[in-house]
């Protein structure tokens, strides 16, 4: 596997992304999307006590106990932002431990690949090589990358802008306080006066679809 060019440093924030091998879909239905989100929530902790496939089999009460015990323990990453599309995913991740992002992405994508291949009766690699990672260097870059990630379903013509609030497979509803989730939204919302102020920022910049499309092309090249 090729050596990574970008050094992943602890306490730094990165835009992390990958897509399906040969640009193939990696999410075929709602269950696939939700499985990936569940894996994200579970494996952000450094000491998840068992494989997620085993975790899924235990009782609801036992799951609650495990998550309660995990709260306050060390995490590999803080998940600031995410968005899942049919053949790729985006994260904004803050690395909290040495090699935290690499460990987190490996656990999530390996767990999802095994699940996907079993459920859809396929074999082989699901994701396209090493994940991409771009270090966030300024506050401006941070909030604009967050906007770019959340607008993905719009400028990919999957949904209309007015339906973005209810896009189920991203962290955007968490940022509007419309859904409880696991993202650290404070890091970005601290730049805005209110949820509505943040929403105006997203909507006001939606006219720059062509610019964002160029950025997306460069990132996923």
């Amino acid at each position: 596997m090729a050596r990574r060019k970008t050094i992943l440093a602890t306490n730094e924030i990165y835009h992390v992304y990958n897509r399906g091998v040969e640009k193939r879909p990696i999410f075929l239905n709602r269950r696939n999307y939700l499985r990936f989100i569940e894996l994200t929530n579970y494996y952000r902790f450094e000491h998840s006590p068992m494989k997620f496939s085993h975790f899924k089999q235990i009782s609801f009460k036992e799951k609650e106990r495990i998550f309660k015990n995990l709260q306050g323990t060390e995490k590999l990453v803080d998940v600031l932002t995410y968005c899942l599309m049919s053949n790729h995913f985006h994260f904004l991740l803050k690395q909290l431990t040495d090699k935290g992002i690499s460990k987190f992405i490996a656990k999530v994508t390996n767990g999802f690949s095994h699940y996907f291949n079993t459920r859809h009766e396929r074999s082989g690699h699901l994701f396209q090589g090493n994940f991409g990672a771009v270090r966030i260097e300024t506050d401006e870059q941070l909030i604009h990358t967050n906007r770019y990630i959340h607008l993905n379903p719009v400028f990919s013509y999957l949904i209309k802008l007015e339906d973005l609030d209810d896009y189920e497979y991203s962290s955007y509803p968490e940022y509007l306080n419309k859904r409880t989730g696991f993202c650290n939204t404070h890091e970005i919302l601290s730049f805005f006066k209110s949820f509505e102020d943040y929403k105006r920022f997203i909507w006001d910049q939606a006219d720059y679809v062509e610019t964002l499309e160029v950025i997306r092309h460069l990132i996923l090249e």
Side-chain angles (χ1 to χ4, degrees):
M1 185 172 292
R3 183 181 296 274
R4 178 172 301 285
K5 295 180 180 179
T6 302
I7 297 174
L8 302 176
T10 300
N11 293 321
E12 294 293 325
I13 298 173
Y14 295 85
H15 178 196
V16 174
Y17 48 89
N18 206 350
R19 64 182 175 193
V21 66
E22 298 178 340
K23 303 181 183 180
R24 294 181 182 181
I26 52 178
F27 306 112
L28 300 182
N29 52 46
R30 182 173 183 269
R31 180 176 291 182
N32 290 169
Y33 282 102
L34 296 184
R35 181 67 168 226
F36 194 93
I37 293 170
E38 289 175 330
L39 286 161
T40 297
N41 187 20
Y42 185 71
Y43 281 128
R44 62 196 171 100
F45 296 100
E46 185 167 14
H47 301 296
S48 303
M50 62 186 73
K51 288 183 177 181
F52 185 76
S53 56
H54 297 158
F55 176 80
K56 285 286 286 184
Q57 303 304 315
I58 63 179
S59 68
F60 178 77
K61 186 175 182 178
E62 184 66 9
K63 289 175 185 174
E64 281 193 322
R65 184 189 68 80
I66 288 174
F67 261 112
K68 184 177 180 179
N69 289 341
L70 285 172
Q71 301 302 318
T73 65
E74 289 187 58
K75 291 185 289 185
L76 295 170
V77 298
D78 254 347
V79 181
L80 275 58
T81 309
Y82 70 87
C83 186
L84 311 183
M85 305 292 289
S86 63
N87 71 346
H88 65 278
F89 65 79
H90 292 276
F91 283 117
L92 265 177
L93 300 175
K94 184 173 186 178
Q95 179 162 284
L96 300 180
T97 64
D98 185 39
K99 299 181 180 179
I101 287 177
S102 295
K103 292 176 182 177
F104 165 75
I105 292 294
K107 288 181 178 182
V108 171
T109 56
N110 289 342
F112 185 77
S113 295
H114 178 74
Y115 155 82
F116 186 93
N117 285 351
T118 300
R119 177 162 292 277
H120 299 292
E121 299 181 343
R122 72 178 296 275
S123 60
H125 295 293
L126 182 62
F127 294 96
Q128 183 175 287
N130 280 338
F131 62 87
V134 177
R135 186 168 73 89
I136 302 300
E137 300 181 11
T138 66
D139 291 342
E140 183 180 19
Q141 186 185 4
L142 176 66
I143 63 174
H144 283 273
T145 303
N146 167 272
R147 180 196 64 189
Y148 160 74
I149 291 173
H150 280 158
L151 281 172
N152 243 246
V154 176
F155 61 72
S156 294
Y157 306 105
L158 182 65
I159 60 174
K160 296 179 179 179
L161 180 60
E162 54 266 32
D163 297 323
L164 185 62
D165 290 17
D166 299 313
Y167 187 68
E168 190 176 8
Y169 313 126
S170 89
S171 51
Y172 186 60
E174 292 182 42
Y175 276 79
L176 302 182
N177 201 31
K178 296 184 66 174
R179 186 184 71 206
T180 301
F182 51 81
C183 286
N184 173 7
T185 59
H186 176 73
E187 192 100 24
I188 290 162
L189 287 179
S190 63
F191 294 100
F192 301 91
K193 296 178 181 179
S194 65
F195 299 123
E196 284 303 315
D197 190 32
Y198 171 77
K199 183 174 180 177
R200 279 192 293 271
F201 168 73
I202 298 296
W203 279 55
D204 288 348
Q205 300 302 324
D207 289 338
Y208 295 112
V209 168
E210 290 185 8
T211 300
L212 293 174
E213 186 66 25
V214 171
I215 296 172
R216 184 174 75 93
H217 173 72
L218 293 173
I219 288 173
L220 294 178
E221 183 61 42

